[in-house]
Amino acid sequence: MQLIEDIRKQALRSIELGVAHSQAANYVVRIADHKFPLLIGQADDEIEGNFQVLFEGDEQATELYSSFETGDTLVAGNINVGEDENYTLKANKRADGFRIRTRGADLEVKVLTPRTAELLDLMPEKQEADTSKLLLCPMPGLVNALNVSVGDKVEAGQALAIIEAMKMENVLKAEKSGVIKSIPVSEGDSLAVDTVIMEFE
């Protein structure tokens, strides 16, 4: 439960970075797999940078003060002045939110409209390609040498190929032991970044 509460506080510290303070509006703050529907509006005293946040399910709004101005990357503020805590965080704008860094945490925070959050839930997660059994070309270059053949057993740290780029020779080594399954390139080939040089069994 403490983790959830910490994430809720982080969401609270982050929302002023992506919303307009002039009128009440619904938003969804998303941090990793946690979503926080909330209502945000100007606080009654109308102090600039002072506004209220009501999380879904809460009966009482939380007052949040922030020094944030558009373009700032360092933000300071206070949650429930006199009752809770001051905070400082570093924020870098992203397309749909911010990268927030504070107290050792490094988080991707999305500030979304309810409809955008609803549609985002329907989007399939992009799966990272498994390249653990591949040797990929790290830069555009020319295959200067292939030091192994199909069927060879290689050890971690063994030189597999030499790629020439910008008149420099780059030796590509095996990250772990394995057996060469295929080599779809030949010496003299010109390769683009991430071209498969070798595949392991």
Side-chain angles (χ1 to χ4, degrees):
M1 286 301 294
Q2 184 59 45
L3 174 62
I4 297 298
E5 185 58 32
D6 289 345
I7 292 176
R8 269 174 57 99
K9 281 189 175 183
Q10 188 61 50
L12 191 60
R13 294 169 185 158
S14 305
I15 55 177
E16 80 271 20
L17 303 173
V19 300
H21 304 172
S22 57
Q23 59 184 15
N26 289 303
Y27 291 91
V28 176
V29 173
R30 187 168 178 166
I31 303 175
D33 294 329
H34 302 280
K35 293 187 298 184
F36 303 96
L38 52 86
L39 178 69
I40 181 170
Q42 183 71 39
D44 293 338
D45 57 16
E46 295 188 357
I47 296 174
E48 187 176 350
N50 207 25
F51 56 102
Q52 292 181 332
V53 177
L54 182 64
F55 282 99
E56 187 177 82
D58 287 355
E59 295 181 3
Q60 185 175 352
T62 299
E63 193 166 301
L64 180 65
Y65 171 77
S66 169
S67 65
F68 175 74
E69 293 182 9
T70 303
D72 287 353
T73 55
L74 190 63
V75 182
N78 183 275
I79 301 172
N80 285 338
V81 178
E83 296 179 20
D84 209 327
E85 60 184 77
N86 296 316
Y87 65 87
T88 303
L89 56 87
K90 187 170 182 181
N92 296 102
K93 185 78 175 89
R94 297 287 191 263
D96 55 0
F98 295 83
R99 177 185 179 192
I100 305 295
R101 284 168 284 181
T102 181
R103 299 181 182 180
D106 191 341
L107 304 168
E108 292 292 331
V109 178
K110 297 181 186 294
V111 181
L112 311 166
T113 65
R115 180 62 176 155
T116 302
E118 181 183 340
L119 293 174
L120 188 61
D121 287 340
L122 301 175
M123 296 292 289
E125 290 283 336
K126 183 178 180 182
Q127 300 295 323
E128 292 291 331
D130 181 9
T131 59
S132 61
K133 293 187 177 183
L134 301 175
L135 175 65
L136 303 178
C137 189
M139 67 202 72
L142 192 71
V143 180
N144 224 359
L146 294 169
N147 299 337
V148 293
S149 302
V150 173
D152 287 358
K153 184 175 180 180
V154 298
E155 301 297 329
Q158 182 177 337
L160 302 176
I162 299 175
I163 303 296
E164 184 180 330
M166 299 177 66
K167 298 183 179 179
M168 294 182 63
E169 289 191 342
N170 302 278
V171 179
L172 306 184
K173 298 181 180 181
E175 293 185 0
K176 58 186 177 181
S177 300
V179 176
I180 305 297
K181 180 179 180 181
S182 67
I183 304 176
V185 300
S186 302
E187 291 183 6
D189 286 356
S190 181
L191 306 182
V193 174
D194 289 339
T195 299
V196 175
I197 299 173
M198 294 178 192
E199 183 180 1
F200 302 92
E201 291 182 359

